[in-house]
Amino acid sequence: MKTRFCPSPTGYMHLGNARTALFSALATHKEEGVFLLRIEDTDQTRSEEQYVSALLDDLAWMGLDWDEGPGMGGDKAPYWQSQRQSIYDQYYDTLITQGLAYPCYCSEEQLKLNRKVQRSRGQAPRYPGTCRHLTAEDRAAKEAAGINPTLRFALPQGETVTFTDLVKGEQRFLTDDIGDFVIRRTDGTSPFMYCNALDDALMGVTHVIRGEDHLTNTPRQILILQALKLPIPTYAHISLILGDDGAPLSKRNGSRSINSLREQGYFYQAVVNYLARLGHYYEQNDFLTLPQLAELFEWKTLSRSPARFDLTQLNYWQQTALQNLDWETLWEWMGESVTEQVPKEKREAFINCIRGNISFPEEALQWANVCFGDLTWTDEHWSELKNTGHSFFAAAQEACALHGDDFKAIATRVKEATGMKGKQLFLPLRLAITGEAHGPDLASLLPLMGITRVMRRFEAILHELA
């Protein structure tokens, strides 16, 4: 098996593309096949080198290492479509010689008018074949007038294209409903419909996984490959990802680029565990590694229904990753601002203490400040502390002096001294020690922080309440 991922470098990789890449890699690795990366950069006006670099970084970050393509080599090079024009030209010559392609001199204005008329008649807009039967003299006159033609593929008439899609099942398309389409632009470059099909065949791709928005492209590409007597891959058109408003996922309704998720501090393990289940069913809802996700990948459990992006679910997998990753990985993830504050000998204890209360590095920094920095209390918290009263914190300070960092013993003594219990007991203690109303278990926090720092905080509160 050989699958491929073939992005256009016209922007940062978004969740839809990332999921396509992931499914392609999982399907291949399950069969110990080849995962190919191809850069489809024929749109020279929009393709940018910065997006290629970002794309390669994103794939590497997700753990989706390709076996063939840029940086890896292979016997089907080059893997940049902008470098393959001579190959495309060779097959143009074959199609023209066989009468399967013809020059089209229609202007964009003419084509727009044709589509408008067809829609007004309730017809699907398609090319009416205006230039298909021009004589050699007609063509010469057009070119003498300086009209630069496109090249259109001449569809066979009255035929049906059938194929079995691994997700959608059997598909049937009438060639008469399609219309002759452009396979070479006026500047001589090749559009997606043509070069994408050719490259899949010439590079030995056996399975094409892509969004269902490409489903109507498939009969066109099959016809091109049949005309050129090239192998036709098996297709799997996966459901689209919708936003929270039911519309196709976009920046407007919640779409994120992989680049932005990386910058926010998401773990790649969280992203791939989420995306692998977005439009694909796993019986196991456990946190899985990439090899495990590949082993359990099944074509039959790819959904025909649209998947809906859910930020809550993504954040669930972020939390799950935090509980499953080793502390050294988390330490690296937290960043320099955290590592500068936490004593080396307390790193592992710090991470194990707070991992259940954080999702992103900035939250780890917040707890590093709580545990090892100078604490300040908000006005709201001061109000709560003042309502609790001086005698409560005097009892807490005395309990600390007696019991050190044994929080259970401290809480018991304060309870006995003040009669406070439940929330009335624990909330003021937590606010005084951490400046937060919620957080990690205080029994774990106190040994981490050190009793000297805790007593200084009680002293500061007592001074303010005096």
Side-chain angles (χ1 to χ4, degrees):
M1 176 186 285
K2 179 187 272 193
T3 64
R4 49 63 158 181
F5 179 53
C6 50
S8 299
T10 57
Y12 292 111
M13 184 164 68
H14 55 74
L15 289 173
N17 274 347
R19 185 185 61 156
T20 299
L22 175 63
F23 284 172
S24 298
L26 295 179
T28 294
H29 294 328
K30 178 172 184 173
E31 302 297 328
E32 298 183 358
V34 175
F35 177 45
L36 178 148
L37 175 63
R38 183 173 70 236
I39 306 299
E40 300 205 335
D41 58 342
T42 57
D43 187 347
Q44 292 297 298
T45 60
R46 297 175 60 215
S47 297
E48 295 185 27
E49 182 61 34
Q50 64 169 320
Y51 295 131
V52 176
S53 299
L55 166 74
L56 300 182
D57 289 344
D58 286 344
L59 288 173
W61 176 75
M62 290 178 67
L64 304 184
D65 300 325
W66 53 99
D67 305 297
E68 184 180 332
M72 294 300 295
D75 60 2
K76 307 298 183 183
Y79 295 98
W80 303 70
Q81 285 189 334
S82 59
Q83 300 172 15
R84 296 176 62 81
Q85 192 61 52
S86 61
I87 299 172
Y88 308 144
D89 291 343
Q90 170 189 340
Y91 286 95
Y92 285 137
D93 292 340
T94 300
L95 292 174
I96 293 169
T97 300
Q98 294 178 358
L100 298 176
Y102 62 89
C104 174
Y105 303 89
C106 295
S107 67
E108 186 56 37
E109 290 73 17
Q110 289 175 283
L111 296 173
K112 286 181 179 179
L113 180 59
N114 287 336
R115 291 192 289 267
K116 183 177 180 180
V117 170
Q118 287 170 334
R119 289 192 182 98
S120 70
R121 295 173 178 172
Q123 300 171 340
R126 65 182 181 88
Y127 183 67
T130 307
C131 295
R132 182 166 184 162
H133 303 294
L134 292 179
T135 65
E137 291 77 12
D138 293 332
R139 292 172 181 170
K142 298 279 188 183
E143 292 178 18
I147 301 175
N148 198 17
T150 60
L151 187 69
R152 287 186 182 271
F153 182 73
L155 271 80
Q157 297 177 332
E159 293 187 9
T160 301
V161 181
T162 62
F163 64 95
T164 300
D165 187 271
L166 291 178
V167 179
K168 304 292 185 182
E170 184 174 323
Q171 301 294 307
R172 301 171 63 85
F173 293 85
L174 301 177
T175 56
D176 291 348
D177 293 339
I178 297 174
D180 298 347
F181 53 90
V182 174
I183 58 173
R184 185 173 66 196
R185 303 185 183 101
T186 56
D187 63 1
T189 60
S190 304
F192 164 85
M193 197 70 67
Y194 177 78
C195 56
N196 176 270
L198 247 63
D199 285 342
D200 284 344
L202 297 175
M203 292 181 176
V205 172
T206 62
H207 291 71
V208 170
I209 301 175
R210 58 188 182 185
E212 64 183 7
D213 52 329
H214 285 289
L215 186 61
T216 56
N217 292 334
T218 302
R220 294 167 170 83
Q221 295 185 316
I222 288 175
L223 288 166
I224 290 173
L225 297 179
Q226 286 177 338
L228 293 170
K229 296 181 174 54
L230 292 173
I232 299 168
T234 298
Y235 293 92
H237 291 89
I238 56 178
S239 62
L240 298 181
I241 303 176
L242 304 181
D244 51 15
D245 57 358
L249 191 63
S250 66
K251 290 182 180 179
R252 179 182 55 79
N253 60 7
S255 181
R256 315 281 182 90
S257 69
I258 296 300
N259 181 271
S260 70
L261 293 179
R262 290 170 58 195
E263 290 180 349
Q264 284 179 260
Y266 280 94
F267 294 104
Y268 85 86
Q269 296 94 331
V271 174
V272 299
N273 267 273
Y274 176 59
L275 289 180
R277 294 169 169 86
L278 200 58
H280 177 266
Y281 175 71
Y282 281 90
E283 278 191 22
Q284 288 183 250
N285 207 34
D286 303 328
F287 182 77
L288 300 174
T289 64
L290 274 170
Q292 289 170 331
L293 288 169
E295 181 182 353
L296 297 171
F297 181 86
E298 296 287 348
W299 295 104
K300 65 184 179 181
T301 60
L302 286 167
S303 175
R304 295 187 181 190
S305 302
R308 186 164 294 206
F309 175 71
D310 186 340
L311 183 59
T312 301
Q313 277 296 305
L314 176 58
N315 288 337
Y316 163 80
W317 287 108
Q318 177 76 353
Q319 282 281 345
T320 304
L322 269 159
Q323 303 314 309
N324 282 274
L325 295 173
D326 60 82
W327 75 267
E328 290 93 343
T329 299
L330 298 184
W331 181 251
E332 185 72 22
W333 165 79
M334 287 178 181
E336 188 175 338
S337 297
V338 174
T339 60
E340 288 176 348
Q341 287 207 59
V342 182
K344 186 175 181 180
E345 68 276 9
K346 293 191 174 184
R347 291 176 179 178
E348 184 174 1
F350 171 72
I351 290 170
N352 290 335
C353 180
I354 71 164
R355 70 160 78 211
N357 294 89
I358 64 172
S359 294
F360 300 102
E362 62 265 24
E363 294 165 332
L365 178 58
Q366 173 192 347
W367 284 106
N369 291 332
V370 167
C371 293
F372 305 107
D374 295 325
L375 191 63
T376 58
W377 292 270
T378 66
D379 291 343
E380 181 183 354
H381 291 161
W382 268 120
S383 178
E384 180 71 33
L385 296 172
K386 289 175 181 177
N387 287 337
T388 302
H390 187 280
S391 60
F392 179 94
F393 297 107
Q397 186 183 48
E398 180 184 349
C400 286
L402 285 172
H403 299 293
D405 59 16
D406 184 345
F407 179 73
K408 183 177 180 180
I410 292 169
T412 299
R413 187 168 184 85
V414 174
K415 178 182 178 181
E416 292 171 349
T418 65
M420 300 287 195
K421 60 183 179 179
K423 184 178 179 180
Q424 287 182 319
L425 172 68
F426 290 106
L427 179 59
L429 286 174
R430 180 174 290 282
L431 287 177
I433 294 169
T434 70
E436 301 290 341
H438 307 280
D441 179 34
L442 288 172
S444 300
L445 274 177
L446 259 65
L448 188 66
M449 297 166 63
I451 196 60
T452 301
R453 178 174 284 105
V454 173
M455 291 189 69
R456 281 203 305 266
R457 292 177 182 177
F458 283 131
E459 182 64 36
I461 292 170
L462 288 169
H463 177 76
E464 182 69 22
L465 299 183

